[in-house]
Structure formats: structure tokens, C-alpha cells
């Protein structure tokens, strides 16, 4: 069974540019989560999809971040325009259930904004 | 507002038992505590989960005291390959959804 995949693995962009991160969850997992980890800090929840619907987007930092999950399959997270503080590792996870269900994480996308 | 606190780092030696404690105030009776392990350049990986007393699986045990203000991940007889970052996660039930609160992670270094 294929695991959660994320693309790209690394991205280096300049302040003000746009970047789109992609996550492909495990097939059949309705729940998809986006997280961000800034160096030395905790993993911070960004948002949670159930199928194509945003169940909880309370962790999204501001309106420069836009997440979509078309058709309830893969998801994208767009940052536009990127700021220096957006640098970090963005993780995607999928789960067959919400809340305490085991989450399966992708390898993450390391975003560096210069 | 719930918060999880873990030690930043720990050292131990091969063959020893390692206990990592996570403090989490303001969690309810049925709120779950989950531990994840993360190796460099990988995403976190589920280790163990519970919400009361003790849970044991093939890799770890999780102890949750009655007051539920903390929980302890216990790794028996660690090896060098257990060197990783360990995260505590609390899932707090809120209406029909859950609030996910992650700790900052404990960097565990196992020495020969």
C-alpha cells in the first residue's frame, strides 16, 4: 500500500513569490491534515479536511494560505505571497478517522523563503 | 486551554529503559494521548495511544496516571536505532470535532 506522498520535497523561493505544495493521501482516507513545523518549535496544526470539505481551518495563519482538496483526493496548500516567517517543514497526514485515529504522515516539504 | 510540555532532549544508553514524560493540563476523561516517533527527513510515525491507565504494544508502553495531568512513554531496552524525536499529541474532543495539540518534541539520543 502506498503511503502519503508530498511534492516537492524541498522548495526555495523568494519573499513575495507563490508556492504550491501537494499532498497525496493514502487511498480511502477521508481525513487529511496539514501541519507546519518551524525549526525548534512544535508541530502546529493548520487545517483538517474530511473528504473535500474543510472541517477545521483554525490553524491557518492568515489569508495568504489557501488549501484545497478537489474531489476529496489529493490536496494542495498554496502560499501567496510568501513571507520569511513561512519557512519551515510542511507535513501532510491522512487518517481513516478523525481525532485520535492514527495519522499517517508524508515525508514533508521543506520550504525556505529567502 | 490545553498545552503539552515535553523535555527538549534526553540521552540514554543501549539496553536501558527510557521514559519520556509529557505534561498536559486541562484534558478530559476521554481525551486521547498519542505518541509519535520521527526520524530525520521523515514524517512522524505512530507509536502508541491511550486515554487511561496503561497501554502496551510490541514497541512501547504508555502510562497515564489517574489525574491525567501527564503521561509517560516507556521504551524498553533501547537500541541505537531508537535515536529520534518523540512527540506527544493530545486530541481534545470539542463538540463533533477534535483539537489536536502537539508537544514540541523530545530529541532522544541513544549512545553505545
Amino acid at each position: 500500500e502506498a503511503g502519503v506522498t508530498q511534492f516537492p520535497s524541498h522548495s526555495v523561493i523568494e519573499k513575495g513569490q507563490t508556492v504550491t505544495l501537494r499532498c497525496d493521501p493514502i487511498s480511502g482516507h477521508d481525513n487529511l491534515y496539514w501541519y507546519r513545523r518551524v525549526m525548534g518549535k512544535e508541530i502546529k496544526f493548520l487545517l483538517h479536511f474530511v473528504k473535500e470539505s474543510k472541517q477545521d481551518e483554525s490553524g491557518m495563519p492568515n489569508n495568504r494560505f489557501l488549501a484545497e482538496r478537489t474531489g476529496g483526493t489529493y490536496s494542495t496548500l498554496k502560499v501567496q505571497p510568501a513571507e520569511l516567517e513561512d519557512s519551515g517543514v510542511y507535513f501532510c497526514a491522512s487518517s481513516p478517522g478523525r481525532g485520535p485515529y492514527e495519522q499517517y504522515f508524508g515525508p514533508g516539504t521543506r520550504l525556505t523563503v529567502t | 486551554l490545553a498545552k503539552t510540555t515535553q523535555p527538549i532532549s534526553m540521552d540514554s544508553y543501549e539496553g536501558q529503559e527510557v521514559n519520556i514524560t509529557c505534561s498536559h493540563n486541562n484534558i478530559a476523561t476521554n481525551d486521547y494521548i498519542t505518541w509519535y516517533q520521527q526520524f530525520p527527513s521523515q514524517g512522524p510515525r505512530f507509536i502508541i495511544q491511550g486515554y487511561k491507565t496503561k497501554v502496551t504494544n510490541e514497541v512501547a508502553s504508555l502510562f497515564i496516571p489517574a489525574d491525567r495531568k501527564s503521561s509517560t512513554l516507556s521504551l524498553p531496552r533501547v537500541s541505537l536505532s531508537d535515536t529520534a524525536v518523540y512527540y506527544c499529541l493530545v486530541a481534545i474532543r470539542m463538540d463533533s470535532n477534535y483539537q489536536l495539540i502537539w508537544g514540541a518534541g523530545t530529541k532522544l539520543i541513544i549512545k553505545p
Side-chain angles (χ1 to χ4, degrees):
Chain A
E1 177 184 279
V4 177
T5 58
Q6 294 186 242
F7 181 83
S9 56
H10 294 86
S11 181
V12 181
I13 61 173
E14 294 183 353
K15 176 182 173 181
Q17 290 185 320
T18 297
V19 64
T20 300
L21 313 181
R22 173 169 171 145
C23 169
D24 286 81
I26 292 173
S27 177
H29 283 191
D30 289 341
N31 294 267
L32 187 150
Y33 301 83
W34 281 100
Y35 296 95
R36 176 173 69 178
R37 183 165 190 254
V38 175
M39 183 67 70
K41 296 192 175 181
E42 69 275 13
I43 296 174
K44 185 176 181 296
F45 166 83
L46 296 178
L47 87 160
H48 169 209
F49 283 100
V50 177
K51 297 184 180 180
E52 68 277 7
S53 300
K54 293 176 185 175
Q55 180 71 27
D56 181 358
E57 53 183 330
S58 61
M60 295 287 265
N62 51 59
N63 58 10
R64 295 186 294 104
F65 288 73
L66 175 63
E68 294 179 322
R69 190 180 183 194
T70 306
T73 54
Y74 71 90
S75 175
T76 58
L77 179 64
K78 180 191 288 188
V79 184
Q80 178 184 32
E83 298 288 344
L84 298 178
E85 64 264 26
D86 299 332
S87 295
V89 181
Y90 290 77
F91 291 104
C92 171
S94 73
S95 171
R98 67 182 69 187
Y101 276 85
E102 176 179 349
Q103 296 183 30
Y104 298 80
F105 280 77
T109 294
R110 181 175 294 279
L111 175 64
T112 302
V113 183
T114 61
Chain B
L1 186 65
K3 180 180 177 181
T4 57
T5 304
Q6 310 174 228
I8 295 174
S9 64
M10 295 179 66
D11 291 353
S12 189
Y13 293 89
E14 283 190 292
Q16 299 294 306
E17 177 185 82
V18 171
N19 296 309
I20 306 174
T21 297
C22 176
S23 298
H24 31 71
N25 57 350
N26 295 328
I27 68 170
T29 305
N30 295 325
D31 290 336
Y32 277 80
I33 299 129
T34 310
W35 284 83
Y36 285 80
Q37 175 191 55
Q38 184 183 23
F39 297 113
S41 301
Q42 296 182 22
R45 184 181 68 170
F46 175 93
I47 301 175
I48 196 168
Q49 180 183 82
Y51 70 98
K52 65 178 181 180
T53 59
K54 177 184 175 182
V55 178
T56 297
N57 61 22
E58 64 275 11
V59 298
S61 293
L62 175 60
F63 298 92
I64 304 169
D67 67 8
R68 295 168 52 75
K69 292 184 178 181
S70 67
S71 60
T72 298
L73 172 71
S74 181
L75 305 173
R77 299 185 59 79
V78 293
S79 63
L80 296 177
S81 63
D82 292 316
T83 293
V85 178
Y86 292 81
Y87 291 97
C88 167
L89 165 67
V90 173
I92 296 175
R93 184 71 182 261
M94 297 180 70
D95 298 324
S96 61
N97 206 355
Y98 286 87
Q99 182 183 17
L100 302 176
I101 309 216
W102 290 80
T106 297
K107 185 173 183 179
L108 176 64
I109 298 175
I110 304 302
K111 303 174 182 178

